[in-house]
């Protein structure tokens, strides 16, 4: 069976085509992506992002089918991101999915963005039943599977860790290409001085708004010529990562202890971060556990993860009617019935 996946919940537009062989093996036929980037110091507006997706979706679709070397008639289902995400870009991509479904008479499958990350991560790494740390620009969740649901054991109480990193990158004028988080990671590698910043963990949940305010205040102090402390932006990036990632490792370890897990899977755009993977690996080493992660092809938003999760749902009857093919900006991970797992 072959599925087409369309992802456009934020500033990355992705088209993926995946095939499930008779033996259950997942084969990536195409995985193409285009990112909407704004100038340094600026975020991306929903309307501009949607305009980008509308302009690029047909060229990307043609590229994906050229790479896959198949025709549209060979597609078994069309999978699209229902949510969570930003309304305007989500709507733009859902509209294309509906149009293709009507034109080619192919069934639709609505996919939860977070589930897409998890299922693609499980497929690529081979992780069987890990505790999942899902970290991105819009989401921060610690998740474990139980009784046909991905249960959220802990999450951010305000902004996501990725949003915290992105917003600080704007404050210090880092480029948005290839991503603000990647550029913070590179700056942090040159940091030598740790700056005390707010550390907020409340049970299984964490908060990053205080951390962001604290590092912004430290940045303002560092830019003040009369300041007695000599702090570089590299020091601030280093301190921001150390603090924020330590919070994530703490709540992940607590979830592992609660469910008796022997592995962690890191998914989402921030999951590419080398330092986060290193810190999680050190914790897992102490516990005799394993850490799994993917590279930027699969951890950054992409269409192949939507195709993978959608095809799993399609094979267990998860078809979406045209009337129900709307988007849901606050689509919770634990709202999805995971029919394809025991």
């Amino acid at each position: 069976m072959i599925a087409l996946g369309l992802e456009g919940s934020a500033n990355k537009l992705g088209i993926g085509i995946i095939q499930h062989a008779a033996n259950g093996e997942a084969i990536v036929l195409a995985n193409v992506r285009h990112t909407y980037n704004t100038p340094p110091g600026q975020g991306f507006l929903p309307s501009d992002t949607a305009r980008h997706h509308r302009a690029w979706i047909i060229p990307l679709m043609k590229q994906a089918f050229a790479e896959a070397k198949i025709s549209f008639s060979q597609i078994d289902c069309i999978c699209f991101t229902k949510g969570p995400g930003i309304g305007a870009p989500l709507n733009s991509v859902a509209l294309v999915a509906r149009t293709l479904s009507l034109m080619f008479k192919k069934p639709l499958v609505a996919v939860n963005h977070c589930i897409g990350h998890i299922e693609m991560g499980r497929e690529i790494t081979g992780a069987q039943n890990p505790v999942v740390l899902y970290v991105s620009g819009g989401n921060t969740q610690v998740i474990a599977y139980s009784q046909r649901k991905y249960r959220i054991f802990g999450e951010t109480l305000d902004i996501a860790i990725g949003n915290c990193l992105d917003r600080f990158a704007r404050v210090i004028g880092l480029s948005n290409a290839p991503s603000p988080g990647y550029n913070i990671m590179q700056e942090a590698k040159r940091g030598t001085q740790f700056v005390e910043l707010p550390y907020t963990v409340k049970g299984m949940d964490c908060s990053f708004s205080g951390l962001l305010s604290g590092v912004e205040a430290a940045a303002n102090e560092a830019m003040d010529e009369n300041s007695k402390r000599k702090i570089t932006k590299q020091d601030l990036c280093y301190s921001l990562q150390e603090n924020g990632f330590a919070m994530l490792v703490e709540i992940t370890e607590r979830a592992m202890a609660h469910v008796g897990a022997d592995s962690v899977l890191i998914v989402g755009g921030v999951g590419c971060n080398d330092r986060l993977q290193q810190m999680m690996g050190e914790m897992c080493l102490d516990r005799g556990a394993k850490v799994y992660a993917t590279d930027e092809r699969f951890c950054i938003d992409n269409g192949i993860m939507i195709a993978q999760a959608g095809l799993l749902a399609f094979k267990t009857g998860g078809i979406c009617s045209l009337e129900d093919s709307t988007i849901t900006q606050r689509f919770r991970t634990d709202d999805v019935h995971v029919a394809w797992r025991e």
Side-chain angles (χ1 to χ4, degrees), residues 153 204 253-261 287:
F153 279 75
M204 284 299 300
E253 183 174 19
R254 194 169 289 131
M256 291 177 72
H258 182 73
V259 303
R287 297 185 62 84

Side-chain angles (χ1 to χ4, degrees), residues 45 62 96 107 110 116 156 177 205 219 243 263 268 271 277 294 307 314:
L45 295 173
K62 291 178 178 177
V96 172
T156 178
D205 299 323
N243 241 55
S263 60
Q277 292 182 17
T294 62
F314 177 70

Side-chain angles (χ1 to χ4, degrees), residues 236-301:
L236 294 174
C237 290
Y238 164 71
S239 304
L240 175 61
Q241 282 196 164
E242 294 299 303
N243 241 55
F245 294 166
M247 292 156 62
L248 296 173
V249 172
E250 179 183 337
I251 62 174
T252 303
E253 183 174 19
R254 194 169 289 131
M256 291 177 72
H258 182 73
V259 303
D262 61 0
S263 60
V264 175
L265 171 63
I266 308 174
V267 298
V270 182
C272 296
N273 189 289
D274 296 339
R275 181 56 181 152
L276 175 59
Q277 292 182 17
Q278 181 186 13
M279 291 172 71
M280 194 67 71
E282 290 170 0
M283 179 272 286
C284 286
L285 186 64
D286 287 344
R287 297 185 62 84
K290 293 185 69 175
V291 60
Y292 297 94
T294 62
D295 59 34
E296 74 272 358
R297 291 173 300 165
F298 305 108
C299 65
I300 296 173
D301 290 352

Side-chain angles (χ1 to χ4, degrees), residues 78-147:
I78 299 168
C79 315
F80 72 97
T81 304
K82 183 179 180 68
I86 303 170
L90 278 173
N91 261 324
S92 296
V93 175
L95 175 61
V96 172
R98 283 193 291 272
T99 304
L100 292 172
S101 174
L102 289 170
M103 285 175 64
F104 295 97
K105 296 180 171 53
K106 301 290 183 180
L108 277 173
V109 181
V111 176
N112 179 288
H113 180 86
C114 314
I115 301 291
H117 274 295
I118 295 170
E119 291 303 343
M120 199 66 218
R122 288 180 64 233
E123 177 62 35
I124 293 298
T125 64
Q128 293 301 306
N129 192 29
V131 162
V132 179
L133 175 64
Y134 171 38
V135 278
S136 68
N139 300 275
T140 299
Q141 298 173 348
V142 177
I143 301 161
Y145 176 79
S146 176
Q147 299 178 341

Side-chain angles (χ1 to χ4, degrees), residues 162-310:
N163 186 248
C164 178
L165 296 173
D166 291 352
R167 286 165 67 175
F168 183 63
R170 287 181 223 159
V171 170
I172 59 175
L174 294 183
S175 171
N176 288 322
S179 71
Y182 174 83
N183 294 325
I184 280 186
M185 179 180 73
Q186 298 306 319
E187 294 291 334
K189 290 175 181 178
R190 295 187 286 148
T192 57
Q193 182 181 180
F194 181 77
V195 180
E196 288 286 339
L197 295 170
Y199 184 101
T200 312
V201 172
K202 299 184 178 182
M204 284 299 300
D205 299 323
C206 48
S207 167
F208 297 103
S209 58
L211 174 60
L212 177 61
S213 298
V215 75
E216 285 180 346
N220 291 333
E221 182 184 347
M223 288 185 280
D224 184 354
E225 295 179 356
N226 298 319
S227 175
K228 294 180 181 179
R229 286 204 301 175
K230 298 302 178 186
I231 305 169
T232 66
K233 67 178 181 180
Q234 289 80 17
D235 294 333
L236 294 174
C237 290
Y238 164 71
S239 304
L240 175 61
Q241 282 196 164
E242 294 299 303
N243 241 55
F245 294 166
M247 292 156 62
L248 296 173
V249 172
E250 179 183 337
I251 62 174
T252 303
E253 183 174 19
R254 194 169 289 131
M256 291 177 72
H258 182 73
V259 303
D262 61 0
S263 60
V264 175
L265 171 63
I266 308 174
V267 298
V270 182
C272 296
N273 189 289
D274 296 339
R275 181 56 181 152
L276 175 59
Q277 292 182 17
Q278 181 186 13
M279 291 172 71
M280 194 67 71
E282 290 170 0
M283 179 272 286
C284 286
L285 186 64
D286 287 344
R287 297 185 62 84
K290 293 185 69 175
V291 60
Y292 297 94
T294 62
D295 59 34
E296 74 272 358
R297 291 173 300 165
F298 305 108
C299 65
I300 296 173
D301 290 352
N302 59 84
I304 202 70
M305 72 183 196
I306 303 303
Q308 167 68 3

Side-chain angles (χ1 to χ4, degrees), residues 30-69:
N31 184 25
V32 297
R33 179 172 55 213
H34 196 273
T35 302
Y36 171 59
N37 280 322
T38 54
Q42 296 182 25
F44 50 90
L45 295 173
S47 58
D48 294 338
T49 310
R51 194 175 298 113
H52 165 270
H53 290 4
R54 290 194 296 271
W56 278 94
I57 196 162
I58 299 303
L60 273 186
M61 192 86 63
K62 291 178 178 177
Q63 182 185 343
F65 276 94
E67 289 185 12
K69 296 181 174 61

